[in-house]
Amino acid sequence: MAQNIYDDPGFFAGYSQLPRQVRGLLGAPEWPAIRALLPDIAGKRAVDLGCGFGWVSRWMREQGASDVLGVDLSQNMIARATAMTQDAAITYEIADLETLELPKSTFDLAYSALTFHYIRDFDRLARMLYRALVPEGHLVFTIEHPIYMAAAHPDWGQDEDGRKTWPVNRYFIEGERRTDWYVKGVLKYHRTIGTTLNALIGAGFTLRHVEEFSPTREQVKAMPELADELERPMMLLVSAQR
């Protein structure tokens, strides 16, 4: 079973105050780049994996999706998403992506934001999602970039010129990473870019687009703190098709 850190009261209290949870999609600087990867979903069926508060699930319905299934391991997340949603065409379920089995050939789009790096067996998940999608169905997801999460102690340092630098040691040593984020010992799983992409190819997917997210000049001007994201990639955005 995946670690259910989001139901820890201290973690959830801090997480709920993030701009992307308070402001929704407008608080996620990578959202415009993600939108560019998403197919037309009018009249289509979608599944939102690690749906959190349901921001994307609701957006999909606004774009004309026929119905959306939002899945999350956290009871807190599902409770908040349910309270924020008044749409009978959106269904939320508590489920562990490590063992989730979706019905075959059901969905036109499988989407996930910043969730798959919590999953130990990504190969199994990729194969299951391939089966769950209809022919030519799309998988679009974001994860923490492997460079961002590879090091045992990921944090800014300085080089001899005083410039910010990010450690990438242990990049090729895949597996568990534990970091302190609101609480101690948050468990994630580091995989190289090659391992992640080859898992998709091995499952049968065709890669459509891979992007190492960085903010635009306009975004940095509006939010100067985003300038750090130009020093190292924080997120990997992937689009694949069945």
Side-chain angles (χ1 to χ4, degrees):
M1 180 177 179
Q3 183 191 47
N4 186 8
I5 196 66
Y6 289 85
D7 280 348
D8 179 285
F11 184 95
F12 188 72
Y15 179 82
S16 299
Q17 299 307 308
L18 287 174
R20 66 183 61 240
Q21 302 309 327
V22 175
R23 300 182 60 214
L25 302 179
L26 294 177
E30 73 279 10
W31 177 242
I34 295 171
R35 280 196 63 174
L37 301 182
L38 292 170
D40 179 9
I41 57 173
K44 305 295 181 62
R45 303 191 69 186
V47 58
D48 184 2
L49 302 157
C51 63
F53 290 2
W55 294 107
V56 173
S57 295
R58 292 186 291 276
W59 178 87
M60 289 176 178
R61 279 286 292 150
E62 292 171 0
Q63 304 307 305
S66 61
D67 58 88
V68 180
L69 171 63
V71 177
D72 204 289
L73 178 63
S74 165
Q75 184 175 353
N76 282 344
M77 293 291 192
I78 293 298
R80 183 71 64 88
T82 301
M84 297 173 67
T85 302
Q86 290 79 42
D87 189 336
I90 301 177
T91 303
Y92 295 113
E93 294 182 3
I94 298 174
D96 184 355
L97 297 190
E98 293 281 17
T99 57
L100 176 68
E101 287 291 342
L102 295 170
K104 294 180 180 179
S105 301
T106 299
F107 298 99
D108 300 280
L109 170 64
Y111 173 83
S112 181
L114 299 176
T115 298
F116 289 169
H117 49 257
Y118 294 113
I119 303 303
R120 180 184 60 82
D121 193 348
F122 182 66
D123 291 271
R124 189 210 74 87
L125 180 63
R127 293 192 300 269
M128 185 277 290
L129 292 176
Y130 184 86
R131 294 192 299 268
L133 289 170
V134 301
E136 301 186 1
H138 293 261
L139 169 64
V140 176
F141 67 91
T142 71
I143 56 173
E144 288 187 357
H145 196 290
I147 283 178
Y148 177 78
M149 65 182 299
H153 303 287
D155 201 358
W156 291 109
Q158 285 189 340
D159 64 16
E160 58 271 20
D161 297 320
R163 184 182 179 90
K164 279 188 172 183
T165 183
W166 190 267
V168 293
N169 53 301
R170 301 185 72 212
Y171 182 81
F172 288 108
I173 303 174
E174 299 182 313
E176 291 189 7
R177 297 292 190 273
R178 291 187 180 271
T179 58
D180 297 341
W181 184 40
Y182 296 121
V183 296
K184 292 185 176 296
V186 178
L187 176 61
K188 303 173 184 177
Y189 293 91
H190 166 66
R191 288 175 282 271
T192 67
I193 294 176
T195 295
T196 297
L197 300 184
N198 285 327
L200 298 173
I201 294 170
F205 283 103
T206 299
L207 297 177
R208 292 302 182 193
H209 189 86
V210 178
E211 182 170 343
E212 296 169 295
F213 172 73
S214 64
T216 65
R217 187 174 303 174
E218 292 75 17
Q219 286 178 315
V220 173
K221 184 177 180 180
M223 299 178 64
E225 62 270 24
L226 289 177
D228 283 349
E229 306 309 322
L230 299 174
E231 300 288 343
R232 55 94 180 94
M234 183 180 179
M235 297 182 199
L236 187 69
L237 283 55
V238 179
S239 171
Q241 192 169 14
R242 190 187 193 286

